Amino acid sequence: MVFSLTASGSGLLGPGRAARRGWLAEAIDGRLTPEERRTPAAALPLLHRLAETPHDSNPSGDAPR
């Protein structure tokens, strides 16, 4: 089964997502040292690759054992 948001639903989620992104950017910039900021920056390509990988056939979402 596939679900998708309507334009109205997307409009409701947008401001909350933007606020969370804004908070995270401010927290990273204001509370982490330059050296600490390099760690999440280095992880971004890995996270993008994981997000682009097709989902496995584990519908429970549990980690494989």
Side-chain angles (χ1 to χ4, degrees), residues 26-48:
E26 288 178 18
I28 288 171
D29 191 46
R31 296 171 58 186
L32 299 181
T33 66
E35 182 177 326
E36 290 170 328
R37 286 193 290 268
R38 284 191 285 277
T39 300
L44 285 175
L46 299 174
L47 295 171
H48 283 288

Side-chain angles (χ1 to χ4, degrees), residues 8-57:
S8 177
S10 292
L12 292 172
L13 289 178
R17 286 180 176 163
R20 286 188 295 277
R21 280 192 304 269
W23 170 86
L24 183 58
E26 288 178 18
I28 288 171
D29 191 46
R31 296 171 58 186
L32 299 181
T33 66
E35 182 177 326
E36 290 170 328
R37 286 193 290 268
R38 284 191 285 277
T39 300
L44 285 175
L46 299 174
L47 295 171
H48 283 288
R49 193 173 76 197
L50 288 173
E52 292 172 356
T53 303
H55 298 290
D56 64 12
S57 60

